[in-house]
């Protein structure tokens, strides 16, 4: 892989104009296609194989007029203070508004509050249930406009009118999160590189990559119904990983320049080493996110696949567009006018960075550091033992929103259960007396303690399938409602035995309960699959038994600790005002399993970027402790910058009003912070320092069986060293070309400049691991800048290279 990426990096560097033009054309094509896309929806849940989904499928067949999978809206009316809706004037106004709703596009039916008993006992609150012929994603703008008109007309008449249900148009998400993330990333990159050009390249390529990914997701809505959370998560992850991947490659490119390599050669070597780690890290994220599709929940599958695609685009951008942009930047990327005095001293080899000092501290005190880190994570994980999961409803909408007002008004007038009515279906097609079976179900429901009201059965045309309604006394997301659904289903077994009819419970509340149950059941198996995948992948990369086990255990620490943070904030209410949480409650069911997939990928990112550099030093002969320190010397600053950028990007999504997005933002920010700084940069070096050489041990039989993926580019290094040996110049008789040398294309070159070029070539031949080579590389760069050599011309120097030089650079790749 390293050899292929080396060739790809040099090719993109040389053909930079073609590469950039191709990417511009791709973005334009995707953008044109996305302009006519229908867009994402709020995401309707479907859970194949569950009782609620089977009941929906039966209703679609037997009660097509009921639009079982259609969108619904509740229009809630509240009389002015001191008045009742049953008064003549208010009743006439409500009747007029209901008539307007009946004429709305796509509406299949509207229940009149006065004829259907949907007026509270006090007579001050009533609601109309509006059913649509189409699914939530297909509710038109005209239908939404009628909803808005009804609210405005009612308020003009003095009524308080609010809207609830999934047919109500959601508020557009704020873009402040993305802007904050990009802003913080820019500051961190400038501090890391001390150069506006070096800091700008990761941001530029990341923004282009995210634009390509998000536009592609929007384009996919031509063919699939995708939830709006899919785009948000794709944007969130795509932006974070795209900046990080570009950051690692640009950092390695600058190091190769300092080692004395020409820009094109430096770009090839950067892609062959850091690019290999980027490919593997991106692959782990893609596999983990794509694995969410095995859960069998459409919304989760869409979120996982959209995010995986965004990560794939980030990897491709980093391997193709970034080298092309580096070609335009050339040596200008080395100009660090914003370097502090300390950064300049570190580049001269004076003093030690904070990362190196931290690595030395950890390796000197591994037992104490390990004990403190593990104890801290254990304390954070304690709240996770109280984890409760449920799907969000209108009760979690932002305060002051029409959905939240409608929810609270209904709870005040009718009780919280009216916000989550249950739909009960009696399938009596195999029963001898369908009407008796339906009546038995009605009687059973009426006797249950937690049922506030029951709607009598209505039959299909054949008279063998009945539809009933039950309103719980408790809130839709409460444990009491969940127990009620289970109790009704338990009575269904007795009904089947006595009357030969099957009883099923569905409706939004029942679907949410089934989704939560399915996700809870899938949590441990999915976690086992992801951990097993981590063991296999890291075994291939690091060719060690201990490293994968340590990485997997660290991942588990990160996940459990992050869940503890989420429970403490969103469920217990700790620091809820600080994080903008307006209401506590169960954790959104989708979050834990989604968190596992995302955190796994990000955890493997830092494991690969940090430990691969340690392995590179170890295989080059460094002692285990020295390899740890050297790994931090080369990668610690970059990994820290990458983690800070990710935490900033994810934290920005705490500004979103949606509870799912807010909780995902906090969860991912906490997970990255814990995994990067506590697990990867503290626990990992402490364990490796304790184990020493055993950290890299691998049985010989397993070493022979496993393929060598060469993430650290060891084969590439050997191939390039062999090329340098093969291309050593033949002896030249003394006095030949003493005054004048022949340059590329047969032009004579003054001795002073030709000597400088000869020095450049000799510097290129020096290994990147040798300190003298670095010194000569820096002096070569200073000489070129002093001569006034244009950086872009230096980047474009392939045309002026001798043909022999080009051939020599390609030979080792062909031989390898």
């Amino acid at each position: 892989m390293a050899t292929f990426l080396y060739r790809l990096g040099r090719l993109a560097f040389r053909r930079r104009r073609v590469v950039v033009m191709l990417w511009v054309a791709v973005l334009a094509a995707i953008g044109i296609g996305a302009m006519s896309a229908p867009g994402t929806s709020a995401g309707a849940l479907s859970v194949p194989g569950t009782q609620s989904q089977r009941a929906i499928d039966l209703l679609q067949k037997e009660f097509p007029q009921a639009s079982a999978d259609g969108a619904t809206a509740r229009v809630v009316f509240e009389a002015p203070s001191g008045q009742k809706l049953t008064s003549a004037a208010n009743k006439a106004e409500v009747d007029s508004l209901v008539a307007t709703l009946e004429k709305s596009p796509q509406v299949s039916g509207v229940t009149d509050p006065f004829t259907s008993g949907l007026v509270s006992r006090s007579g001050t609150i009533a609601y109309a249930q509006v059913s649509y012929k189409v699914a939530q994603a297909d509710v038109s703008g005209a239908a939404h406009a009628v909803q808005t008109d009804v609210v405005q007309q009612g308020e003009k008449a003095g009524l308080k009118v609010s809207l609830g249900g999934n047919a109500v148009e959601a508020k557009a998400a704020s873009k402040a999160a993305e802007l904050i993330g990009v802003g913080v990333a820019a500051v961190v990159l400038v501090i890391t590189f001390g150069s506006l050009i070096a800091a700008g390249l990761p941001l530029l390529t990341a923004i282009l990559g995210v634009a390509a990914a998000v536009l592609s997701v929007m384009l996919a809505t031509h063919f699939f119904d995708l939830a709006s959370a899919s785009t948000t998560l794709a944007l969130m992850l795509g932006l974070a990983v795209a900046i990080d991947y570009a950051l690692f490659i640009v950092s390695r490119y600058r190091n190769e320049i300092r080692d004395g390599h020409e820009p094109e050669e430096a770009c090839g070597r950067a892609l062959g080493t850091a690019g290999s780690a980027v490919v593997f890290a991106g692959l782990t994220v893609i596999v983990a996110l794509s694995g969410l599709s095995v859960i069998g929940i459409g919304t989760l599958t869409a979120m996982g696949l959209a995010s995986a695609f965004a990560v794939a685009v980030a990897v491709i951008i980093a391997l193709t567009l970034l080298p092309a942009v580096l070609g335009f930047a050339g040596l200008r990327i080395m100009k660090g006018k914003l370097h502090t005095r300390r950064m300049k001293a570190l580049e001269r080899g004076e003093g030690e960075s904070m990362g190196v000092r931290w690595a030395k501290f950890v390796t000197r005190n591994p037992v104490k550091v390990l004990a403190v880190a593990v104890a801290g994570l254990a304390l954070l994980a304690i709240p996770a033992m109280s984890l409760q999961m449920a799907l969000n409803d209108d009760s979690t909408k932002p305060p002051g929103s029409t959905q939240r007002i409608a929810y609270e008004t209904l709870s005040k007038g009718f009780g919280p259960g009216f916000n989550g009515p249950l739909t009960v279906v009696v399938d009596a097609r195999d029963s001898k007396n369908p009407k008796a079976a339906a009546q038995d179900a009605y009687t059973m429901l009426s006797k249950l303690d937690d049922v506030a009201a029951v709607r009598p059965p209505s039959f299909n045309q054949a008279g063998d399938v009945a539809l009933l309604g039950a309103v719980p006394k408790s809130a839709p997301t409460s444990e009491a409602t969940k127990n009620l659904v289970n109790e009704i289903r338990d009575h269904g077994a007795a009904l089947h035995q006595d009357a030969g009819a099957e009883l099923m419970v569905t409706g939004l509340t029942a679907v949410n309960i089934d989704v939560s149950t399915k996700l809870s059941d899938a949590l441990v198996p999915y976690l086992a699959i992801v951990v097993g995948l981590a063991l296999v992948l890291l075994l291939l990369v690091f060719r060690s038994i201990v490293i994968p086990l340590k990485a997997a255990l660290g991942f588990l620490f990160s996940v459990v600790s992050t869940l503890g943070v989420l429970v403490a904030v969103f469920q217990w209410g700790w620091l809820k005002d600080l994080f903008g949480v307006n209401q506590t409650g169960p954790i959104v069911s989708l979050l834990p399993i989604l968190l596992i997939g995302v955190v796994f990928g990000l955890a493997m990112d830092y494991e690969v970027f940090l430990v691969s550099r340690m392995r590179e030093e170890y295989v080059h002969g460094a002692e285990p402790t020295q390899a740890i320190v050297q790994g931090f010397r080369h990668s610690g600053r970059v990994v820290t910058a990458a983690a800070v950028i990710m935490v900033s990007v994810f934290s920005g999504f705490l500004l979103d009003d949606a509870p799912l997005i807010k909780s995902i933002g906090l969860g991912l920010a906490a997970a990255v912070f814990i995994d990067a700084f506590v697990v990867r940069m503290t626990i990992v070096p402490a364990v490796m320092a304790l184990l020493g050489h055993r950290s890299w041990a691998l049985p010989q039989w397993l070493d022979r069986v496993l393929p060598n993926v060469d993430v650290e580019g060891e084969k590439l290094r050997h191939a390039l060293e062999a090329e340098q040996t093969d291309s050593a110049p033949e002896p030249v008789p003394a006095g030949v070309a003493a005054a004048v040398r022949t340059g590329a294309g047969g032009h004579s070159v003054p001795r002073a400049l030709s000597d400088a070029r000869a020095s450049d070539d000799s510097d290129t031949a020096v290994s990147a691991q040798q300190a003298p080579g670095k010194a000569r590389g820096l002096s070569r760069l200073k000489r070129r800048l002093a001569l006034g050599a244009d950086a872009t011309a230096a980047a474009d120097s392939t045309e002026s290279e001798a043909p022999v030089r080009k051939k020599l650079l390609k030979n080792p790749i062909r031989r390898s």
Side-chain angles (χ1 to χ4, degrees):
M1 178 187 292
T3 300
F4 168 76
L5 292 177
Y6 172 84
R7 296 175 61 185
L8 178 63
R10 297 197 61 184
L11 177 64
F13 190 98
R14 287 196 305 272
R15 306 296 183 187
R16 47 192 169 275
R17 292 179 177 83
V18 175
V19 173
V20 170
M21 289 176 63
L22 286 175
W23 271 108
V24 170
V26 169
L27 278 172
I30 297 174
I32 292 172
M35 289 175 62
S36 60
T40 56
S41 66
L45 286 173
S46 63
V47 195
T50 60
Q51 186 185 104
S52 56
Q53 189 62 45
R54 286 191 289 113
I56 290 174
D57 295 339
L58 179 61
L59 288 176
Q60 289 176 341
K61 178 181 178 182
E62 301 296 336
F63 291 86
Q65 72 280 4
S67 300
D69 63 340
T72 58
R74 289 183 299 275
V75 183
V76 183
F77 308 98
E78 185 174 7
S81 179
Q83 300 181 25
K84 292 186 177 183
L85 290 175
T86 51
S87 67
N90 288 334
K91 183 177 183 300
E93 183 61 31
V94 170
D95 289 339
S96 174
L97 296 176
V98 170
T100 301
L101 289 170
E102 291 175 342
K103 298 175 183 178
S104 173
Q106 302 177 319
V107 167
S108 62
V110 180
T111 55
D112 185 280
F114 299 106
T115 59
S116 303
L118 303 181
V119 181
S120 64
R121 293 180 180 178
S122 63
T124 58
I125 297 173
Y127 74 95
Q129 185 80 9
V130 185
S131 301
Y132 290 85
K133 302 175 183 177
V134 296
Q136 175 185 1
D138 299 322
V139 177
S140 65
H144 288 308
V146 172
Q147 296 173 1
T148 304
D149 290 342
V150 166
V151 173
Q152 293 175 349
Q153 291 174 18
E155 290 178 346
K156 286 180 181 179
L159 302 177
K160 297 179 182 178
V161 183
S162 53
L163 304 173
N166 60 0
V168 180
E169 188 173 18
K171 180 183 177 182
S174 172
K175 301 300 180 184
E178 295 91 319
L179 296 177
I180 291 174
V182 172
V184 174
V187 173
V188 173
L189 289 171
V190 170
I191 294 174
T192 302
F193 290 128
S195 166
L196 290 176
I197 295 177
L201 293 186
L203 283 177
L204 174 64
T205 55
I207 291 172
L208 292 176
V210 167
V214 172
L215 289 174
S216 298
V217 172
M218 293 178 63
L219 183 63
T221 59
H222 277 295
F223 314 99
F224 309 101
D225 178 21
L226 299 179
S228 57
S230 303
T231 304
T232 305
L233 185 61
L235 175 62
M236 186 189 304
L237 278 178
L239 183 62
V241 300
I243 294 175
D244 279 5
Y245 294 163
L247 168 63
F248 284 107
I249 292 176
V250 170
S251 177
R252 190 60 181 254
Y253 172 76
R254 283 162 57 92
N255 288 340
E256 296 294 340
I257 291 289
R258 292 192 187 99
D259 288 337
H261 299 296
E262 290 290 337
E264 181 182 327
E265 177 70 9
C267 184
R269 288 174 179 257
L271 241 68
T273 51
S276 298
V278 164
V279 170
F280 175 80
L283 180 63
T284 58
V285 183
I286 291 168
V287 171
L289 291 172
S290 301
L292 293 172
S293 58
V294 304
I295 307 300
I297 296 176
T299 300
L300 196 61
T301 299
M303 294 175 70
L305 293 180
S307 303
F309 179 76
V311 174
V313 171
V315 173
I316 296 172
I317 286 277
L319 299 181
T320 56
L321 181 60
L322 180 60
V325 177
L326 288 174
F328 287 107
L331 290 176
R332 286 193 296 267
I333 200 171
M334 301 301 297
K335 295 181 179 179
K337 296 182 180 179
L338 301 176
H339 277 310
T340 63
R341 183 179 301 176
R342 176 173 175 77
M343 293 172 64
K344 293 177 180 178
L346 290 175
E347 286 195 351
R348 293 194 302 267
E350 302 172 3
E352 292 179 339
S353 65
M354 186 179 297
V356 172
R357 295 201 302 270
W358 173 251
K360 289 183 176 180
F361 172 77
V362 172
T363 53
R364 284 197 305 266
N365 308 278
V367 176
K368 295 179 181 178
V369 170
L370 186 63
V372 172
V374 171
L377 292 182
L379 288 175
L380 285 178
I382 290 176
M385 300 174 64
S386 304
L387 176 66
Q388 297 177 358
M389 294 190 295
L391 287 178
N392 54 322
D393 56 14
D394 285 351
S395 65
T396 61
K397 296 294 182 182
S401 64
T402 186
Q403 295 97 325
R404 182 71 171 269
I405 294 173
Y407 185 96
E408 293 173 347
T409 304
L410 277 180
S411 297
K412 181 174 65 174
F414 300 93
F418 270 78
N419 285 291
L422 304 176
T423 300
V424 181
V425 181
V426 178
D427 183 5
R429 290 175 294 181
D430 297 330
S431 175
K432 296 180 179 179
N433 193 342
K435 291 187 177 181
Q439 186 61 39
D440 290 344
Y442 176 80
T443 303
M444 178 269 295
L445 292 171
S446 302
K447 293 180 179 179
L448 296 179
D449 294 335
D450 198 37
V451 173
V454 182
R455 188 181 65 210
S458 58
F459 289 87
N460 62 341
Q461 291 184 352
D464 52 9
V465 176
L467 180 63
L468 299 89
V471 177
K473 294 180 181 178
S474 49
T477 58
S478 67
E479 193 68 21
T481 300
K482 181 179 179 180
N483 294 335
L484 174 62
V485 172
N486 292 331
E487 185 179 2
I488 294 173
R489 287 172 172 172
D490 291 340
H491 281 90
L495 181 66
H496 184 270
Q497 184 176 358
D498 297 339
E502 182 181 4
L503 184 145
M504 296 177 285
V505 184
T506 187
L508 183 60
T509 301
V511 169
N512 288 354
I513 291 172
D514 288 344
V515 169
S516 299
T517 302
K518 188 166 186 175
L519 288 172
S520 300
D521 295 341
L523 192 61
V524 174
Y526 180 70
L527 186 61
I529 292 172
V530 167
V531 171
L533 177 64
L535 293 174
V536 173
L537 291 177
L538 293 178
L539 182 63
L540 290 174
V541 173
F542 296 118
R543 311 189 73 78
S544 162
I545 297 295
V546 173
I547 298 296
L549 289 174
K550 168 187 59 61
L553 289 174
F555 161 67
L556 291 176
F557 272 128
S558 300
V559 168
V560 177
S561 301
T562 302
L563 290 177
V565 171
L566 289 173
V567 169
V569 174
F570 285 91
Q571 195 171 309
W572 293 359
W574 292 4
L575 302 176
K576 67 175 185 177
D577 294 333
L578 176 64
F579 295 108
V581 179
N582 57 71
Q583 183 175 341
T584 59
I587 304 300
V588 180
S589 301
L590 296 172
L591 181 56
I593 201 161
L594 184 65
L595 192 68
I596 289 173
V598 175
V599 172
F600 166 74
L602 300 181
M604 295 308 103
D605 275 6
Y606 297 122
E607 183 77 14
V608 171
F609 290 134
L610 191 60
V611 180
S612 62
R613 197 63 192 251
M614 297 179 188
R615 174 175 166 78
E616 186 175 340
E617 297 294 332
Y618 180 77
V619 298
H620 290 164
E623 290 297 315
T625 301
Q626 184 184 2
I628 295 171
V629 175
Q630 289 299 321
F632 271 81
R633 186 186 304 278
H634 292 293
S635 300
R637 183 181 182 86
V638 180
V639 169
T640 300
V644 171
I645 289 172
M646 276 202 174
V647 170
S648 303
V649 171
F650 295 147
S651 297
F653 285 86
L654 284 168
L655 300 176
D656 198 289
D657 292 331
L660 176 60
I661 302 303
K662 187 185 289 287
S663 57
I664 288 177
L666 176 61
L668 291 180
V672 170
F673 182 87
I674 292 170
D675 194 85
F677 296 113
V678 181
V679 175
R680 307 302 156 189
M681 302 186 76
T682 303
I683 294 178
V684 166
V687 172
M688 294 178 68
L690 287 173
L691 295 177
H693 288 284
R694 287 171 293 181
S695 297
W696 307 103
L698 182 69
Q700 291 185 357
W701 65 269
L702 189 56
D703 186 46
R704 290 191 298 268
V705 171
L706 292 177
N708 189 353
V709 295
D710 190 27
V711 170
E712 64 273 6
E714 184 67 14
K715 291 181 180 179
L716 174 64
R717 188 179 69 87
H718 288 312
L720 294 174
E721 287 179 352
E723 158 57 20
Q724 292 162 2
T725 302
D726 293 345
S727 62
E730 296 182 2
V732 180
V736 176
V740 177
R741 296 183 182 179
T742 302
H747 299 288
S748 61
V749 182
R751 179 184 180 117
L753 186 54
S754 64
D755 286 345
R757 289 180 178 173
S759 176
D760 291 351
D761 291 340
S762 64
D763 287 344
T764 305
V766 178
S767 170
Q769 304 299 324
Q770 295 175 338
K774 294 184 179 181
R776 283 194 291 272
L778 286 172
S779 64
R780 178 191 64 80
L781 177 60
K782 292 176 181 178
R783 285 197 303 273
R784 294 188 63 169
L785 294 175
L787 288 170
D790 182 79
T792 306
D796 290 330
S797 61
T798 53
E799 289 80 0
S800 63
E801 290 181 348
V804 175
R805 170 73 173 167
K806 293 183 180 180
K807 183 177 180 180
L808 290 175
L809 285 172
K810 294 178 182 177
N811 281 340
I813 308 308
R814 290 174 179 170
R815 284 199 298 271
S816 62

